[in-house]
């Protein structure tokens, strides 16, 4: 296995990551040198040109944290372009059914298993292998995460988790609250009930249960105890602000 993230999740380990939207190579390099397991470049809610994203993926490289890209939509062109940067995986938002999830998986695979076009040179360079090796190994090593942020996806979660090629699902509590009619009440009982249903489905399958964030650090730690293994520990801007705050709080005591 060339993808340490998939290997860790396959063993049932808890992996923590950071959302990334500053889109500066210096910030990417700083995060890549920490003990984070994954860094997720968010191109759904942040405007970023492909050249910038490619440079960020190359900066993160294979230093330890897996570079992931959240694409803007479940689209073959967007997923192909994201993976051709050399990213180790993708997160696909707004998937509402097993049929849509199956399409997302298909878009990540080289033919004949999928619809990804063959252009392995850049990705192979990031992975530190030859283009031929990348072509031979990418289908088994690309990490595919389906985001669960709609009540329809929750209803279809057993079928989504049964799909070959889905490595993880990640709950987006914010959008899920909107879909369930309690917009902004991220931890409303309706949302908690949906989260529990998704977690239970994952535990019955080989799919890693993920969640975008917790209420705070204590809650995030509890999510891991509850069984979540793919967990957002924070975001680049938040880590930066918290580091400054902690430093100044200490200095001004």
């Amino acid at each position: 296995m060339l993808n340490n993230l998939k290997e860790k999740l396959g063993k049932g380990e808890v992996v923590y990551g950071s959302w990334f939207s500053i889109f500066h190579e210096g910030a990417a390099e700083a995060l890549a040198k920490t003990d984070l397991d994954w860094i997720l470049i968010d191109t759904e809610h942040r405007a970023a040109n492909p050249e910038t994203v490619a440079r960020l993926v190359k900066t993160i490289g294979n230093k330890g944290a897996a570079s992931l890209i959240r694409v803007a939509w479940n689209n073959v062109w967007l997923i192909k372009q994201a993976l051709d940067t050399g990213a180790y995986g993708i997160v696909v938002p707004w998937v509402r059914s097993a049929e849509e999830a199956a399409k997302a998986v298909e878009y990540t695979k080289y033919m004949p298993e999928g619809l990804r076009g063959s252009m392995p040179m850049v990705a192979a360079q990031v992975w530190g292998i030859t283009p031929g090796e990348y072509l031979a190994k990418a289908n088994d090593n690309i990490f595919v995460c389906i985001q669960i942020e709609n009540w329809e996806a929750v209803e279809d979660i057993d079928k989504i988790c049964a799909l070959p090629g889905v490595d993880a699902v990640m709950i987006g509590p914010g959008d899920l609250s909107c879909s369930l009619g309690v917009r902004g009440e991220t931890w409303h009982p309706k949302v908690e009930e949906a989260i529990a249903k998704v977690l239970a489905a994952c535990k019955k399958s080989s799919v890693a249960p993920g969640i975008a964030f917790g209420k705070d650090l204590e809650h995030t730690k509890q999510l891991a105890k509850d069984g979540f293994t793919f967990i957002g520990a924070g975001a680049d801007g938040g880590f930066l602000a918290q580091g400054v705050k902690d430093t100044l709080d200490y200095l001004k005591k």
Side-chain angles (χ1 to χ4, degrees):
M1 183 63 67
L2 296 174
N3 190 337
N4 289 334
L5 179 62
K6 284 191 63 161
E7 187 171 10
K8 289 177 181 178
L9 287 172
K11 294 177 181 177
E13 296 180 26
V14 177
V15 296
Y16 293 103
S18 172
W19 293 82
F20 190 82
S21 57
I22 291 177
F23 291 168
H24 189 280
E25 291 162 66
E29 185 173 13
L31 282 181
K33 290 180 177 178
T34 69
D35 289 330
L36 287 168
D37 297 293
W38 51 271
I39 298 170
L40 178 55
I41 301 166
D42 186 8
T43 66
E44 181 190 10
H45 291 298
R46 295 290 186 272
N49 62 53
E51 292 84 358
T52 297
V53 174
R55 285 197 297 270
L56 293 172
V57 170
K58 189 173 183 179
T59 298
I60 295 167
N62 53 13
K63 297 179 177 69
S67 56
L68 307 177
I69 296 175
R70 178 162 74 169
V71 293
W73 200 250
N74 187 11
N75 172 280
V76 63
W77 176 72
L78 292 174
I79 290 173
K80 179 194 307 185
Q81 191 175 66
L83 293 178
D84 282 349
T85 65
Y88 279 77
I90 58 162
V91 173
V92 185
W94 278 99
V95 171
R96 294 168 294 179
S97 67
E99 289 75 18
E100 291 183 5
K103 285 292 184 184
V105 173
E106 185 180 27
Y107 299 156
T108 69
K109 306 291 186 184
Y110 286 124
M111 295 183 286
E113 293 85 355
L115 295 176
R116 183 182 176 190
S118 175
M119 183 58 73
M121 279 68 77
V122 173
Q125 185 181 41
V126 173
W127 285 38
I129 57 179
T130 68
E133 289 172 327
Y134 184 85
L135 281 173
K137 298 177 181 294
N139 280 7
D140 292 330
N141 279 272
I142 294 295
F143 171 76
V144 180
C145 177
I146 302 299
Q147 202 156 5
I148 306 298
E149 46 197 342
N150 186 285
W151 69 268
E152 294 167 288
V154 176
E155 290 298 311
D156 219 19
I157 191 62
D158 287 322
K159 292 181 180 179
I160 291 172
C161 288
L163 287 171
V166 174
D167 297 300
V169 298
M170 181 166 67
I171 297 166
D175 281 316
L176 190 53
S177 74
C178 296
S179 176
L180 292 171
V182 288
R183 184 167 52 213
E185 298 181 60
T186 311
W187 307 105
H188 187 280
K190 286 185 177 181
V191 180
E192 295 274 17
E193 183 180 352
I195 289 173
K197 183 173 182 177
V198 173
L199 181 59
C202 289
K203 287 181 176 179
K204 291 187 296 184
S205 72
S206 60
V207 172
I211 192 160
F213 56 85
K215 300 177 191 178
D216 51 36
L217 288 180
E218 284 302 316
H219 183 237
T220 302
K221 198 169 185 178
Q222 183 59 49
L223 290 171
K225 293 178 181 178
D226 292 341
F228 284 96
T229 56
F230 182 69
I231 302 174
D236 47 8
F239 286 133
L240 175 62
Q242 190 63 49
V244 173
K245 182 181 183 303
D246 290 347
T247 298
L248 292 179
D249 285 348
Y250 176 81
L251 292 175
K252 294 181 178 181
K253 280 182 181 178

